[in-house]
């Protein structure tokens, strides 16, 4: 039986929850930013004391969302605070960290933060606040000019177009919130890059996945039992973040379901699990035990497996079975999800609605991209054109042969 760490009294859990909310880790609980007016400081930081004649403004957002203003507050400062609260509190987990990091990177580009700030959660929150204030304060023309320069700088740095587009989308989303709150009456006009659909949306082949499952079935030990359950659930289209956040209470064997909190969703939903996956879960729980807590844990510490732990596990299992050949088609959690979509469409004859329901995609057009690649409609047209050309070439050659 695996010892599950972190199960304490209700009072201690509440105290830890308050501490986590007050931290600047995954929650926007302590966003602090200072802005020099009218020119930004190269290395900003919270302003604790300011003389009466100073033009600095310090805004500190605490868990109770109280604000401490040192020196007279410009009209855009209160709006910036409202935007930061409303924008970041809409997200959690990986999405929150990603958006906060994007805004911190913008602050670094604007010269408002140190480059190392984007890697530390607390410093990233402060830097993100600087970026928000600077864009709101400058107005439409200044914001478009600065973001356009940022876009060009990222392109020169060799970043992928999808990465640039994601960061621009973060800024647009933040400014959309500002407009909804009537802090501004304009929008960002900087377009993203036009990108094509990713070339690899299939993931590893069915044979590769089956060979990994066979290796896990043949291997003995608690780690293999745990990894087999995780691997099978990933193959059902679940995301690694969805699995890492689940507790034992989210599994209902009597209903053959697991309760999942989907990406950017605010409510849980029940996902039906096949019999083989339920059996793999039962085998893992025989080792883990039935104590409340994280569904999948690290064997050496009993702590919850993170999404990165699951990613490392899938890559390691792929390398274990295929060795250097695994580099040709890396086995990763989202690749298993890609394969589930493509193979599901094959087995159902192109039932995009059913596959979209399994993957919990809000937009069925996402699944249709898998269907288009599965059927290779473009390739079929190319084959017809090639056959037509070959017929014409053959006819011309035959005509020439007759004249000789």
């Amino acid at each position: 039986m695996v010892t599950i760490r972190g199960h304490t009294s209700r009072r201690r859990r509440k105290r830890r929850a308050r501490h986590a909310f007050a931290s600047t880790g995954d929650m926007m609980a302590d966003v602090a930013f200072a802005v020099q007016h009218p020119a930004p400081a190269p290395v900003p930081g919270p302003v604790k004391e300011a003389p009466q004649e100073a033009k600095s403004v310090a805004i500190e957002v605490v868990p109770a969302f109280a604000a401490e203003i040192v020196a007279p507050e410009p009209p855009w400062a209160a709006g910036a605070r409202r935007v930061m609260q409303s924008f970041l509190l809409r997200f959690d987990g990986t999405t929150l960290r990603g958006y906060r990091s994007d805004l911190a990177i913008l602050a670094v580009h604007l010269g408002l933060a140190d480059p190392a700030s984007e890697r530390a959660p607390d410093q990233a929150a402060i830097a993100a606040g600087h970026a928000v204030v600077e864009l709101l304060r400058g107005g439409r023309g200044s914001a478009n000019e600065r973001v356009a320069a940022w876009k060009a700088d990222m392109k020169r740095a060799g970043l992928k177009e999808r990465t640039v587009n994601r960061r621009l989308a973060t800024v647009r989303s933040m400014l959309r919130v500002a407009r909804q709150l009537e802090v501004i009456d304009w929008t960002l006009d900087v377009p993203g890059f036009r990108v094509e659909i990713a070339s690899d949306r299939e993931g590893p082949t069915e044979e590769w996945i089956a060979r990994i499952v066979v290796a896990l079935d043949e291997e003995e030990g608690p780690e293999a039992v745990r990894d087999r359950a995780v691997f099978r659930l990933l193959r059902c289209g679940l995301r690694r973040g969805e699995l890492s956040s689940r507790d034992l209470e989210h599994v209902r064997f009597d209903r053959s379901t697991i309760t999942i909190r989907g990406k950017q969703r605010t409510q849980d939903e029940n996902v039906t699990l096949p019999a083989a996956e339920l059996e793999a879960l039962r085998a893992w729980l025989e080792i883990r035990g039935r104590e409340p807590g994280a569904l999948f844990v690290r064997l050496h510490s009993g702590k919850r497996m993170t999404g990165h732990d699951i990613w490392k596990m899938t890559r390691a299992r792929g390398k274990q079975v295929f060795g250097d050949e695994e580099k040709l088609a890396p086995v990763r959690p989202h690749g298993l999800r890609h394969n589930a979509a493509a193979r599901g469409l094959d087995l159902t004859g192109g039932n995009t609605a059913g596959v979209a329901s399994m993957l919990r995609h809000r937009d069925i057009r996402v699944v249709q991209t898998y269907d288009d690649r599965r059927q290779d409609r473009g390739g079929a047209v190319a084959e017809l054109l090639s056959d037509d050309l070959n017929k014409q070439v053959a006819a011309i050659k035959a005509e020439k042969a007759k004249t000789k």
Side-chain angles (χ1 to χ4, degrees), residues 70-314:
V70 181
E73 181 181 32
W76 44 261
R81 183 169 59 249
R82 289 166 52 211
V83 171
M84 280 293 289
Q85 292 173 357
S86 180
F87 176 62
L88 292 183
L89 285 179
R90 297 183 181 197
F91 311 103
D92 58 9
T94 304
T95 304
L96 170 61
R97 290 191 292 271
Y99 283 2
R100 187 174 53 198
S101 176
D102 291 341
L103 292 174
I105 293 171
L106 174 58
V108 172
H109 169 78
L110 297 175
L112 302 172
D114 185 85
S117 62
E118 65 185 81
R119 294 187 292 271
D122 53 346
Q123 295 300 316
I126 296 173
H130 280 289
V132 172
V133 169
E134 193 64 21
L135 292 183
L136 297 181
R137 184 179 66 179
R140 179 180 181 179
S142 174
N144 279 287
E145 179 182 5
R146 293 186 171 206
V147 174
W150 183 40
K151 173 185 173 183
D153 186 61
M154 289 188 287
K155 183 63 176 178
R156 285 192 298 269
L159 270 67
K160 293 183 178 180
E161 293 176 341
R162 289 182 179 274
T163 302
V164 176
N165 286 351
R166 191 205 69 234
R167 292 178 179 177
L168 294 177
T170 299
V171 177
R172 279 194 291 266
S173 180
M174 182 272 296
L175 293 176
R176 191 179 303 116
V177 172
R179 188 172 183 179
Q180 291 171 353
L181 298 177
E182 297 184 347
V183 176
I184 59 176
D185 58 359
W186 47 270
T187 58
L188 189 69
D189 301 322
V190 180
F193 292 106
R194 185 173 180 176
V195 296
E196 299 297 331
I197 298 173
S199 58
D200 180 14
R201 298 185 71 92
E202 298 178 357
T205 65
E206 293 77 35
E207 180 186 357
W208 278 43
I209 295 174
R211 288 172 62 183
I212 293 175
V213 173
V214 168
L216 289 170
D217 288 341
E218 294 175 349
E219 182 179 334
E220 297 181 357
E223 187 174 8
V225 175
R226 182 201 63 188
D227 293 354
R228 180 170 62 248
V230 173
F231 206 87
R232 280 189 167 275
L233 291 176
L234 291 173
R235 183 55 167 70
C236 287
L238 300 184
R239 299 179 177 92
R240 57 174 175 162
E242 294 169 346
L243 278 185
S244 65
S245 65
R246 295 302 84 188
D247 292 335
L248 178 61
E249 64 182 19
H250 294 126
V251 180
R252 292 291 301 271
F253 288 101
D254 56 334
R255 297 181 180 178
S256 300
T257 62
I258 182 172
T259 303
I260 293 296
R261 176 69 59 87
K263 184 179 179 181
Q264 296 185 4
R265 303 291 177 93
T266 58
Q267 295 182 347
D268 291 337
E269 52 189 316
N270 291 325
V271 175
T272 301
L273 295 179
E277 279 62 36
L278 289 171
E279 188 60 32
L281 269 177
R282 286 193 181 94
W284 160 239
L285 293 180
E286 289 297 321
I287 297 173
R288 175 199 176 278
R290 297 282 178 162
E291 295 83 1
L295 179 60
F296 293 106
V297 297
R298 302 171 186 171
L299 296 174
H300 61 281
S301 65
K303 294 182 179 180
R304 180 186 301 272
M305 286 185 73
T306 64
H308 188 61
D309 290 335
I310 294 176
W311 181 87
K312 289 193 297 183
M313 181 275 292
T314 56

Side-chain angles (χ1 to χ4, degrees), residues 368-399:
Q368 288 173 345
T369 61
Y370 292 99
D371 196 33
D372 291 341
R373 299 191 66 80
R374 177 184 68 90
Q375 298 186 35
D376 193 16
R377 295 186 175 96
V381 174
E383 288 288 345
L384 293 175
L385 290 172
S386 179
D387 292 342
D388 181 67
L389 178 60
N390 291 336
K391 291 178 181 179
Q392 296 185 44
V393 169
I396 294 173
K397 289 182 178 179
E399 189 68 26

